[in-house]
Amino acid sequence: QVQLVESGGGLVQVGDSLRLTCAASERTFSNYAMAWFRQAPGKEREYVGGIRRSGDLTLTADSVKGRFTISRDNAKNKVYLQMNSLKPEDTALYYCAARSGRIRTRPNEYPYWGQGTQVTVSS
């Protein structure tokens, strides 16, 4: 059972940056592909990006490509989402998720989830 805790959200201005952190409890953290999703009010949960177990491959959604970067530190059991040039449409509750195997882009393919951290981008 993997427990995930996100942190780093907040209220920022357009164009600002934030770095989200997801801390995992699992000692075998490196066995899991990790992903970030987000959900805005009234909308479906949206894939933001994922990172392979070894960290050598990331897959980022087109909506954030070039602005958001995912990385991980397996020694610290953490995955990060660096968000630059934030826009109002990035406002959402951001979740990290874990699964064994490969990166997937659908939420129902991830059995482990954190509680989310709110990101609000004000114009």
Side-chain angles (χ1 to χ4, degrees), residues 5-98:
V5 179
E6 303 95 335
S7 62
L11 173 63
V12 297
Q13 301 290 321
V14 169
D16 283 352
S17 297
L18 271 179
R19 188 176 82 156
L20 305 184
T21 299
C22 174
S25 63
E26 180 59 44
R27 287 181 298 169
T28 56
F29 174 71
S30 60
N31 289 347
Y32 295 88
M34 302 296 296
W36 288 94
F37 290 81
R38 66 186 182 184
Q39 189 165 20
K43 295 189 176 181
E44 294 187 352
R45 195 164 295 190
E46 174 191 20
Y47 173 81
V48 174
I51 186 165
R52 198 152 66 180
R53 290 172 288 179
S54 60
D56 62 346
L57 175 69
T58 60
L59 298 174
T60 310
D62 288 344
S63 59
V64 302
K65 196 164 291 184
R67 299 188 298 122
F68 290 13
T69 304
I70 299 171
S71 60
R72 67 189 294 163
D73 185 337
N74 287 340
K76 295 183 178 180
N77 288 5
K78 290 183 178 179
V79 62
Y80 306 98
L81 180 65
Q82 178 66 44
M83 305 185 295
N84 298 329
S85 302
L86 283 161
K87 304 176 181 180
E89 52 263 42
D90 296 319
T91 295
L93 189 59
Y94 282 73
Y95 299 90
C96 70

Side-chain angles (χ1 to χ4, degrees), residues 93-104:
L93 189 59
Y94 282 73
Y95 299 90
C96 70
R99 71 183 305 275
S100 300
R102 299 179 178 181
I103 301 168
R104 292 287 185 262

